[in-house]
Amino acid sequence: MGTRWSARVVVPAPGRYADIGAGVQGAFDGVVAEMSTWEAVSDISRFNRATIGTWQSLPPDFLIVLSAALRIAEESGGAYDPTIGGLVDAWGFGPPGPCAAPPDVETVAALLRAAGWRHVECDTLLQRARRITPLALDFSGIAKGFGADRAAAWLRTRGFRHFLVEVGGELVGAGVKPDGQPWWVDVEMPPGAALPPLRLALHGLSAATSGDYRRWFEAEGGRFAHTIDPRSGRPAANGVASVTVLHADCMHADAYATAITVLGAEEGLRFADSLGLAAHIVSRSGDGWSEAMSLAFTAMLD
């Protein structure tokens, strides 16, 4: 996944910790094998190479993520869309590597015509899916959260009830620490943002943060961040610096954080409130910073 992970686990008896590292790593490895576009033999790479219109048999976890991604794409009006792999690559944020300059208008237009969540058909009953245009799936806005969920699920199946799993800033917290305190985590603020720290208690909750300060490049006098707006085919440029979403599972928190980042602060808040999402948004405001919270997030602070 191109990042590090950590797990803090309350071990109920001596000797129970020996296989934790390998088990959690195995959960992540399974997600990578299915959903990483950086792996040529992964299921997502196989799907993206398949003949257009041909049904592809896919693993259950892959279809869980694809189904959720398509539903969130519909809910968000396409602000989140898992079919923009071609655009991600064209802007230098995919496996082909960085680009020296932004793609030209014609390239973006062609990739936009091919993309679109409505151009993917998903048949969960028969465990298959197909694309009907030359689009490319990209799960980078949802798979990391799903990986955190899968690691948490592995821990639960082994009888561990109290833990905090983190992978690249996405977190899943369950139970409490040995001292009875919840798993307290500090939300990462954008560099330079003069805002007070935001500390959250993850007790049966997941948190995911999307930020424009993690991967970006400068060219032709502009700054281009890695979050692509599927509606324009260009990096989102609405002043939103980071979005944190709390949710029961990390997969949804991850994708919703991306959607709200693309929608922008005002529309993103309306979207979060319409779904009852707990969201915290940090935006650049002139030479300063501003923050906004959804109704559900504000209620958690009371």
Side-chain angles (χ1 to χ4, degrees), residues 189-274:
M189 290 293 172
L195 295 171
L198 188 65
R199 179 159 288 189
L200 305 171
L202 295 186
H203 178 71
L205 275 177
S206 299
T209 298
S210 175
D212 73 349
Y213 50 88
R214 292 176 174 171
R215 296 178 62 202
W216 53 276
F217 70 93
E218 291 182 341
E220 301 177 357
R223 180 181 183 276
F224 305 97
H226 75 283
T227 300
I228 306 298
D229 185 338
R231 302 166 300 179
S232 68
R234 300 179 58 84
N238 51 29
V240 172
S242 74
V243 174
T244 296
V245 172
L246 300 177
H247 199 277
D249 66 78
C250 205
M251 175 182 71
H252 284 89
D254 196 2
Y256 282 131
T258 301
I260 293 170
T261 298
V262 170
L263 288 169
E266 186 175 343
E267 189 178 354
L269 273 185
R270 288 197 297 269
F271 174 70
D273 287 338
S274 71

Side-chain angles (χ1 to χ4, degrees), residues 83-171:
T83 70
I84 59 169
L87 287 161
V88 172
D89 289 350
W91 282 96
F93 298 114
C99 57
D104 57 48
V105 174
E106 292 77 15
T107 297
V108 171
L111 291 170
L112 266 179
R113 285 194 296 272
W117 59 272
R118 293 182 178 88
H119 299 151
V120 175
E121 296 178 359
C122 182
D123 185 343
T124 54
L125 182 62
L126 296 180
Q127 297 288 286
R128 62 183 188 170
R130 66 177 176 177
R131 55 181 184 152
I132 57 176
T133 63
L135 58 81
L137 288 180
D138 186 299
F139 285 163
S140 58
I142 193 170
K144 190 165 59 173
F146 182 77
D149 289 333
R150 275 295 171 259
W154 183 88
L155 288 168
R156 292 188 183 97
T157 63
R158 296 307 188 274
F160 299 110
R161 297 172 48 240
H162 308 279
F163 54 81
L164 177 68
V165 173
E166 181 269 338
V167 53
E170 322 293 45
L171 301 120

Side-chain angles (χ1 to χ4, degrees), residues 47 54-60 62-64 66-67 70 120-131:
F47 181 91
T54 303
W55 288 102
Q56 299 295 306
S57 297
L58 294 162
F62 187 103
L63 290 169
I64 288 172
L66 177 58
S67 297
L70 295 176
V120 175
E121 296 178 359
C122 182
D123 185 343
T124 54
L125 182 62
L126 296 180
Q127 297 288 286
R128 62 183 188 170
R130 66 177 176 177
R131 55 181 184 152

